[in-house]
Amino acid sequence: KHLPGDVPGWKDHKSRKEKILSVLEDITDQDRIFIDENLGTLLDHANISAEPMVEEGLQFTRRKKDDHTIYFMANHSESRVDGWVELASPCRSALILDPMSGRTGKARVRGKQDSRNIYLQMDPGETRILRVFEQEEIVTADWPVLRSSGEPVELKGSWNVEFLEGGPFLPEKYRTEKLESWTNFDLPDARSFAGAARYTIDVTLEEPVMDHFFLDLGDVRESARVWVNGHPAGVLVAHPFKLDISGLLEAGLNQISIEVTNLSANRIRDLDIRGVEWKKFYDINIVSHLYEPFDASTWPLKPAGLLGPVKLFRAELKK
């Protein structure tokens, strides 16, 4: 709404402020500098196109590079994006990358080259990298556009839970049919434990496995590694804790293993409750956010482990 009157930061502040004031004094009518109350007007003057995808609840960063444009997109809304999304960048073809899994594929594209739409499916919390090519027609496998096939199936039964590594001591393994924080179980050392535990369950599929399958872990505290029939399926560190496990399931008996690692908060809490000196730093003092002596003894217990519910989704290609 106005020209700058100062410079940011204090480094060489005086000389830099004098320089910017000098530049502003030298501005003439021929210089292309615009001041306006409306940001959209200024973007039009700069030939910067608005991205219609924000109307779908998507946030993005965009970078132009040679003959293509790179987008990083995030769905921070509460709604799933499932449909055609218009791009402001010219597009002949586009490549989709899931940064959490590394999966890539060619996007479905329609419309005129200077006003193209791509088909996007993104759950709340998901991110995608999109590489948009102006002239090149890329040749690679298609990104699968899927739709749910039937109702999700919750994995019910007996879960074997075994603590693998961490401290101060490994709690005893246990079996449970109800997924909840391991701090809720009457296990020695569970309330002070920080580390990893493996949850294992057997699942029987009676029909031939031809479709795509997704595993939704529900509530995870805080990260998870997944194996299906002994094969690594992926790592999940953020919401949504949902994983494509297509091709790993078999007709008949299947074993799903989920290794969950919690935060260190419960262990730090226990150390301060017992008065153990652990703040052994040479060049800094540990303080609270109010710069008061740090004390975790009053912290509430943090939920830990696989809280679920764990569900299996069947999906099929959308025509």
Side-chain angles (χ1 to χ4, degrees):
K1 301 178 183 180
H2 53 78
L3 293 175
D6 206 340
V7 290
W10 291 108
K11 179 176 174 59
D12 301 326
H13 180 268
K14 183 179 179 180
S15 61
R16 290 191 298 116
K17 183 173 183 178
E18 290 174 351
K19 183 175 181 179
I20 194 172
L21 292 177
S22 174
V23 170
L24 294 176
E25 289 176 357
D26 292 337
I27 292 177
T28 66
D29 292 339
Q30 285 74 36
D31 293 312
R32 291 183 57 81
I33 294 179
F34 299 93
I35 300 174
D36 199 278
E37 295 286 319
N38 188 291
L39 180 60
T41 301
L42 297 175
L43 292 174
D44 289 341
H45 275 301
N47 293 322
I48 298 176
S49 302
E51 285 290 349
M53 70 173 66
V54 298
E55 299 175 5
E56 307 294 332
L58 296 176
Q59 297 180 15
F60 72 95
T61 59
R62 179 182 64 188
R63 176 174 294 179
K64 174 76 174 175
K65 186 176 182 182
D66 299 327
D67 64 340
H68 63 275
T69 304
I70 298 174
Y71 290 81
F72 177 81
M73 302 174 294
N75 184 4
H76 287 268
S77 73
E78 297 181 356
S79 302
R80 172 177 168 84
V81 174
D82 188 350
W84 293 100
V85 175
E86 184 179 351
L87 295 177
S89 301
C91 171
R92 179 179 176 87
S93 62
L95 184 72
I96 298 177
L97 166 70
D98 178 0
M100 294 299 295
S101 68
R103 293 187 302 124
T104 63
K106 184 178 179 180
R108 291 190 184 183
V109 179
R110 73 175 186 183
K112 298 180 181 179
Q113 185 167 342
D114 58 351
S115 180
R116 301 301 287 266
N117 294 263
I118 63 166
Y119 203 99
L120 277 182
Q121 293 181 317
M122 293 175 63
D123 285 329
E126 282 196 311
T127 58
R128 295 285 187 270
I129 294 173
L130 184 68
R131 193 174 182 186
V132 178
F133 297 88
E134 284 189 34
Q135 304 296 332
E136 183 181 352
E137 183 67 51
I138 60 172
V139 179
T140 188
D142 292 337
W143 181 272
V145 176
L146 304 172
R147 63 182 175 190
S148 297
S149 176
E151 294 297 319
V153 177
E154 182 176 350
L155 302 191
K156 295 183 177 180
S158 183
W159 291 86
N160 291 313
V161 184
E162 180 182 7
F163 293 88
L164 304 177
E165 59 181 355
F169 304 100
L170 293 182
E172 299 175 358
K173 60 183 178 181
Y174 64 95
R175 296 171 67 92
T176 181
E177 294 190 357
K178 181 182 179 182
L179 290 174
E180 56 183 305
S181 173
W182 66 54
T183 60
N184 294 344
F185 291 87
D186 186 19
L187 297 170
D189 307 310
R191 292 163 64 91
S192 61
F193 179 74
R198 182 189 296 125
Y199 293 73
T200 305
I201 194 170
D202 291 331
V203 180
T204 300
L205 296 178
E206 298 179 355
E207 303 175 8
V209 182
M210 303 295 292
D211 294 335
H212 292 260
F213 282 88
F214 289 84
L215 187 67
D216 189 337
L217 305 186
D219 191 357
V220 176
R221 304 298 179 97
E222 298 290 332
S223 62
R225 295 177 180 269
V226 180
W227 286 263
V228 178
N229 294 324
H231 300 287
V235 178
L236 298 169
V237 298
H239 178 80
F241 289 93
K242 188 176 179 181
L243 196 64
D244 187 344
I245 59 171
S246 304
L248 299 179
L249 293 171
E250 303 171 353
L253 189 65
N254 294 268
Q255 185 181 81
I256 296 178
S257 296
I258 305 164
E259 181 181 311
V260 179
T261 302
N262 71 328
L263 300 176
S264 298
N266 291 343
R267 185 169 183 182
I268 294 173
R269 172 183 179 271
D270 175 69
L271 290 170
D272 278 353
I273 288 175
R274 294 189 289 115
V276 177
E277 180 56 46
W278 61 274
K279 308 178 187 73
K280 300 175 182 178
F281 296 87
Y282 296 102
D283 57 354
I284 193 171
N285 293 318
I286 295 183
V287 295
S288 72
H289 66 289
L290 298 176
Y291 281 85
E292 297 173 348
F294 181 89
D295 180 14
S297 64
T298 59
W299 286 1
L301 278 172
K302 291 283 188 182
L306 182 61
L307 280 57
V310 180
K311 297 180 180 180
L312 194 61
F313 290 79
R314 187 190 296 262
E316 60 185 11
L317 287 174
K318 183 183 290 190
K319 302 299 184 181

